[in-house]
Amino acid sequence: VTASWSIVHAVDVRTGKRLWSFDPPVDRSIGYKGCCDVVNRGVALWQGKVYVAAYDGRLIALDAATGVATVTLNRPDKLNALTFEVYRELTDTFRALGGEPGVRAVVITGAGRAFCSGGDVEDIIGPLLSMKLPELRIFTRLTCDLILAIRRCPRPVVAALNGTVAGAGAVIASACDFRVATDKAKIAF
């Protein structure tokens, strides 16, 4: 794994071939701790898979053998509730993954017992209640940008639904090309 300026390049250490590049939208100064072969600027190579760790723990894994990129919402203690920053990161992620030559498909899922419970009560829902119309428009555009990035992704996007799928989480799932649910999935708009 190498980094030049702000673009991260993931390279297969066995062949030296570039797997993909990612232009991180935020500071990725922390790595995936404790079990990685290589960690650099928040990117880790572990058991043949490349991981990009965001500051909030969201992970993107690319399986080079299959070309499947897996985006995991990783806030299981909050049922993977979305924050304003996660909205932006997901939008940038889907825009970036769509143009990567090593990516053949994208799977989005949630860690723990939920796919996504919607907007975080403290980070999104609370502030929304006090916003004026111009601020609400900005939030609506933020949401629409994410959905548009998913819909415009030229790779098939699969939502792997586990547990709670509510509010914005259900909207994200609906924007995907395919949805696969466990028997424990509960979907609510």
Side-chain angles (χ1 to χ4, degrees):
V1 178
T2 62
S4 60
W5 189 239
S6 65
I7 298 178
V8 177
H9 305 282
V11 178
D12 186 329
V13 293
R14 293 173 299 252
T15 65
K17 180 181 173 190
R18 191 188 90 175
L19 301 174
W20 59 297
S21 297
F22 188 72
D23 188 359
V26 296
D27 179 16
R28 300 189 182 286
S29 59
I30 65 165
Y32 191 69
K33 298 175 183 169
C35 60
C36 302
D37 301 323
V38 178
V39 176
N40 188 358
R41 291 179 49 89
V43 176
L45 178 64
W46 181 54
Q47 294 184 348
K49 293 185 180 179
V50 177
Y51 294 88
V52 178
Y55 76 95
D56 63 358
R58 182 180 52 78
L59 291 178
I60 304 163
L62 174 63
D63 184 335
T66 63
V68 175
T70 302
V71 178
T72 303
L73 300 170
N74 195 14
R75 297 182 71 213
D77 55 318
K78 300 267 188 166
L79 298 178
N80 302 314
L82 300 171
T83 64
F84 290 114
E85 192 61 35
V86 171
Y87 264 108
R88 288 182 198 94
E89 288 184 20
L90 286 172
T91 301
D92 291 341
T93 296
F94 278 99
R95 286 176 179 159
L97 288 174
E100 289 304 322
V103 176
R104 296 178 54 197
V106 180
V107 174
I108 182 167
T109 191
R113 59 190 179 96
F115 172 75
C116 177
S117 61
D120 186 282
V121 172
E122 294 171 6
D123 189 72
I124 291 184
I125 306 303
L128 281 177
L129 295 175
S130 62
M131 285 183 183
K132 304 286 185 222
L133 190 56
E135 295 166 312
L136 288 172
R137 276 195 201 112
I138 291 169
F139 173 70
T140 301
R141 285 191 186 114
L142 186 69
T143 305
C144 292
D145 286 347
L146 171 56
I147 300 310
L148 195 57
I150 294 170
R151 295 301 309 144
R152 286 187 173 165
C153 183
R155 311 298 193 259
V157 180
V158 179
L161 308 176
N162 53 306
T164 304
V165 184
V171 173
I172 290 169
S174 296
C176 296
D177 298 305
F178 302 97
R179 287 149 297 285
V180 179
T182 69
D183 59 350
K184 304 221 185 292
K186 304 230 185 305
I187 303 170
F189 285 90

